[in-house]
Amino acid sequence: MDYLRTAGFPLLTLLILSPLAGLGLVGLSAWLKLPERAMKIGAVLWALVPLALACAVWAGFDPSATAQGQAVVQYVEKVPWVSAIQVEYFLGVDGLSLPLVLLTAALAPVALLAAGGVRERAHAHFALIFLLEAAMLGYFVALNFFFFFIFWEFSLVPAFFLVQGWGRDGGPRARAALLFFVYTLAGSLGMLLLFQFFYVATSAAGSPTFDLIKLGRIGQGLEAGMPSLQTMLASYAQQIGLANVLGANPALYGGIAFWAIFLAFGIKLGVWPLHIWLPETYAEAPTAGSMLLAGVMSKMGAYGMLRILLPLVPEAAHTFAPTMAALALAGVLAGAYGALSYVRGDIKRLIAYTSINHMGYVALAIAAVAYSSGDADSRAIATNGAVMQMVAHGLSTAALFLLAGALYDRTGTWQLGGIGGLRRSMPLFAGVFGVALFANLGLPGLAGFVGELMIFRGAWAALPLFTGVATLGLVITALALLRMFGQIFHGAPSGILGGAGDLRLSSREFVAAAPLLALLLALGIFPAPLLDMSNAAALALAQVVRQFLS
């Protein structure tokens, strides 16, 4: 199939396995009773190996490759696994997944640096970070639903134990970990059941598959001689008698499929009102956990919508696009007002609510792509904006959680109400914090501005009312972040740092924050490398809905 480009070397397999090798090295250091400091340094250095492999994938990636109206999936590794049920070990990357692979590989060593201050069960903490990185990388490159779902579910395990085992002292970390696990698992069950129906429906049509690329082509009507997936579902419902109860309208089954997929990914993305777990989990997680949960795991939901939801059920996605947009708008405003309400409260909860706000913009872009009004270029711009926003938000939010943790180490409190006037005693810290904050609120010249600008430009053509109202979220979130900065660094000194010792950024903290800020600045000034990477896939995705309604 010429929409796949087979790999000559299993680079993606090595990419997934390299964090697991890091986990093994951490275990070996514990067995050999090496000094804890040596283990931590070695872990951070080893985390550069997956980053180097991800960069090698990027170096050989052809961003302009297209075939049969699709962006070519590259570095494909495809091996039969369980032939009886069409399970294949199928890996590959395109312009939608590669930016998130690079984001994951870049944030993992920074998260390990942030965990350098962990003293309690440090070996287990570092091992879980490596395990989480492997699961997230596997999720972004898996193209058979069997492995896609395994990586999706398995990422819950290390995240759960990170929150429960190393969450904030005195906080409801066990409850937060359980809430996160149960919400995400419950949402996944509907998607799992749906894909069983996809499999048996395609079997009845003579072509059983769990291949996400093939299912997407069937959903888009690109497989010759095969009806759309929702038509297959309706036919299968008639065969088993379900149509006698629900009716035989294919649109009904397309709608059921849409909501089963949307709920699973919407929970992870934090779409309102499925976001209930998010503020508490982000707040209670340890610093490294908050960085990876907000920086990468929330993007798993948006990626799933782009990879599965739109291609597999485009007709239903078009039908429910206004509903998606309304939920996205609710998330934008709820996140903004939630952040504003914590200006004198918990700093991590404030940052968590800004994440709900920013992921609301990504959901709005996806709704605009699903809605057929507007030209294909606008839909492609919205997709590119969503990818840029995910990367920019991942970098800036990870930096904010990193610096919030460093602030707690100096003050002993997460409460903003007891902090003030720190700029005089911590000028470099204030400067670094300010860059991360301005990147998060979308200041021109930084990466967040590019993503937000492209989302609003692309979404306006399809959903002008929702897009116009969503701009209120920009103002309210900016107000919350600026008031937070003023609360911490300006005003009368609180005296809370009296016994804190050295107030300068430590070398570990600076080395962790510097690459994040450098990337935010570089992508804000010159976003072309990332946009070139995603553009072919964005243009192909822009055609998905139009072909059914033109």
Side-chain angles (χ1 to χ4, degrees), residues 290-492:
S290 296
M291 293 170 66
L292 293 175
L293 283 168
V296 180
M297 288 195 76
S298 62
K299 285 60 179 180
M300 293 168 68
Y303 171 75
M305 291 183 184
L306 295 171
R307 173 65 67 201
I308 292 179
L309 185 68
L310 299 187
L312 268 63
V313 285
E315 296 137 304
H318 166 75
T319 300
F320 293 108
T323 306
M324 292 172 61
L327 296 177
L329 177 60
V332 165
L333 298 178
Y337 279 107
L340 193 60
S341 70
Y342 276 96
V343 165
R344 292 186 61 83
D346 189 316
I347 184 174
K348 292 189 75 177
R349 284 182 179 267
L350 188 154
I351 299 170
Y353 273 104
T354 66
S355 290
I356 296 171
N357 168 265
H358 286 90
M359 290 301 98
Y361 298 131
V362 174
L364 179 64
I366 295 170
V369 175
Y371 201 62
S372 64
S373 298
D375 58 282
D377 286 346
S378 293
R379 293 196 295 278
I381 290 170
T383 303
N384 280 319
V387 173
M388 173 61 80
Q389 176 72 349
M390 285 190 279
V391 173
H393 174 266
L395 296 171
S396 64
T397 300
L400 286 176
F401 276 122
L402 168 71
L403 295 168
L407 189 65
Y408 172 79
D409 291 339
R410 289 157 175 77
T411 63
T413 182
W414 299 104
Q415 298 300 313
L416 291 165
I419 306 175
L422 302 187
R423 183 182 58 83
R424 292 182 181 178
S425 53
M426 305 170 66
L428 178 59
F429 190 100
V432 172
F433 198 101
V435 175
L437 180 142
F438 283 116
N440 195 263
L441 63 81
L443 185 75
L446 296 167
F449 172 77
V450 180
E452 290 175 1
L453 177 65
M454 295 185 73
I455 287 173
F456 283 108
R457 163 61 182 86
W460 180 264
L463 300 163
L465 176 62
F466 292 107
T467 306
V469 178
T471 58
L472 293 174
L474 295 175
V475 178
I476 300 168
T477 304
L479 179 61
L481 289 170
L482 291 172
R483 288 183 62 188
M484 176 183 72
F485 187 84
Q487 174 68 38
I488 297 171
F489 296 106
H490 296 284

